[in-house]
């Protein structure tokens, strides 16, 4: 069935592909459905991370340098 949803192509390592294929087989769905469900489940966290990265990118250089130092020291 055609869809109007956006599509992307992803290259996976063999182990990841096999795990996704096994999951799809067990659930009786497509590999793409498994990947889409996984991505949908992390989308809220990813959205917050992107918002923080955007805010950091707009921060003054001194603040960005401080953030970088904190991240690199953890």
């Amino acid at each position: 069935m055609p869809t109007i949803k956006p599509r992307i192509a992803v290259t996976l390592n063999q182990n990841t592909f096999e795990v996704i294929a096994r999951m799809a087989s067990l659930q009786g769905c497509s590999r793409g459905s498994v990947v889409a469900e996984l991505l949908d489940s992390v989308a809220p966290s990813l959205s917050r991370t992107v918002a923080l990265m955007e805010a950091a990118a707009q921060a003054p250089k001194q603040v960005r340098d401080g953030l970088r130092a904190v991240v690199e020291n953890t």
Side-chain angles (χ1 to χ4, degrees), residues 5-40:
K5 293 180 180 180
R7 294 177 178 259
I8 62 170
V10 179
T11 303
L12 305 171
N13 67 47
Q14 188 65 35
N15 184 53
T16 302
F17 176 84
E18 290 170 3
V19 170
I20 289 171
R22 288 170 46 207
M23 173 88 66
S25 177
L26 291 167
Q27 292 181 346
C29 63
S30 69
R31 294 181 307 259
S33 294
V34 170
V35 172
E37 185 177 316
L38 288 169
L39 291 174
D40 285 345

Side-chain angles (χ1 to χ4, degrees), residues 49-61 63-65 67-68:
T49 300
V50 168
L52 288 170
M53 291 174 70
E54 289 171 338
Q58 293 177 3
K61 183 177 181 335
V63 173
R64 289 194 314 266
D65 290 345
L67 289 171
R68 186 175 294 112

